[in-house]
Amino acid sequence: MDVLVIGGNRYFGKRLVALLRESGHRITLLNRGSSGAPEGIEHLVADRDDETALESVLAGRSFDVVVDQVCYTPRQAEISRRVFGTRTRRYVMTSTVEVYADEDSAVPVAEDVVDLGAVAVDTALAWDDPEFRETHYGEGKRQAEAVFAAEPPFAWTSVRVAHVLGGEDDFTGRLDHYARRVRAGEPIAVPVGNRPATYVYVEEIAAFLAWAVEAAFTGPVNAHSHGPLTTADLCAEVEKRVGGRTVFHEVAAGEVSPLSFARSYAMDNSRATRLGYSFSHSSEWLARAVAETVGEVR
């Protein structure tokens, strides 16, 4: 297949590109040009927020599948609907567990907890402001999904990705946050009643996205490994790697450490399982993921 990947130049995106290439697909990367494409892969340079530039660089082109790794706002989704409406038969949007951030459920949440038809889309908000977009990350993804879901011009799916762990190239700094504090025995701020969450290994989410490219299902799908993890689970593994001691400090309000949650919105991955994907269990890869990111005992 002829596959266009928008973004795809770091973390699990670059692993996705490698897997698609290994499977024999023809891959084209589209990004702003801040980094090049691997040898042998076509590279298109355009700002995905610039509709005119996209139309120009894609003139005369069509693709079997588009994988959008960097759609964060409803404004970006609307541009993609217009630009790719006649240029692809399938569109895979990488979304996030954070679309459920307003939930607080005693049981893992399924995809239909978010009614995309009822999501209010507001493209007039300050989506071009990086600080606003980061603060409203989950809302931006939710509204982007709603734009695609409304009578999509192509077969469309959003892959709601759990919190990703692993890889020496983990740029988030979340596990390093714990490594520094555990090593020094410094307090780690967590909310009162800290809740478990669902996670996925970096290699596994790349494999799931590659599988979704070749599949035919549509609509949202939750993607995560079996076995939710607590902040204590993460820190216990960090302790094994860096030494030190975990000291949690519960706070009723204010800023808390990453990967600690006052709300419970672990996802239910049964739809993906019914569709034929077999996820691993977090116990199978947690030690490896932590070792890759924070290193062995230092």
Side-chain angles (χ1 to χ4, degrees), residues 20-188:
L20 292 173
R21 188 178 189 181
E22 290 168 8
S23 297
H25 300 298
R26 178 186 174 190
I27 311 302
T28 301
L29 288 186
L30 188 153
N31 56 42
R32 291 177 297 180
S34 56
S35 60
E39 185 177 354
I41 291 182
E42 184 179 6
H43 186 199
L44 302 179
V45 177
D47 184 341
R48 62 98 31 83
D49 292 318
D50 186 336
E51 188 168 351
T52 300
L54 280 177
E55 290 281 5
S56 177
V57 79
L58 294 168
R61 299 292 302 270
S62 63
F63 305 90
D64 296 305
V65 184
V66 173
V67 183
D68 194 342
Q69 288 281 90
V70 289
C71 185
Y72 301 114
T73 75
R75 196 176 299 163
Q76 292 174 331
E78 287 192 344
I79 290 173
S80 286
R81 275 182 62 109
R82 291 192 293 266
V83 171
F84 293 104
T86 59
R87 286 187 169 96
T88 190
R89 61 174 179 79
R90 180 166 175 77
Y91 202 99
V92 179
M93 173 193 164
T94 300
S95 190
T96 174
V97 61
E98 295 304 324
V99 301
Y100 301 116
D102 293 336
E103 303 297 325
D104 191 357
S105 173
V107 297
V109 294
E111 292 83 358
D112 59 4
V113 166
V114 175
D115 179 1
L116 293 176
V119 171
V121 173
D122 188 350
T123 57
L125 295 176
W127 296 116
D128 291 335
D129 178 0
E131 184 176 346
F132 179 88
R133 189 161 60 194
E134 181 176 356
T135 303
H136 297 81
Y137 175 67
E139 179 60 23
K141 287 285 192 179
R142 186 163 47 240
Q143 290 193 28
E145 286 193 33
V147 168
F148 283 123
E151 299 183 8
F154 31 55
W156 165 83
T157 183
S158 61
V159 177
R160 292 173 178 169
V161 179
H163 306 289
V164 183
L165 296 177
E168 294 180 357
D169 54 337
D170 180 355
F171 62 92
T172 65
R174 295 176 299 194
L175 284 181
D176 281 337
H177 170 93
Y178 290 109
R180 292 193 302 271
R181 283 160 177 75
V182 168
R183 187 185 294 111
E186 296 177 350
I188 296 169

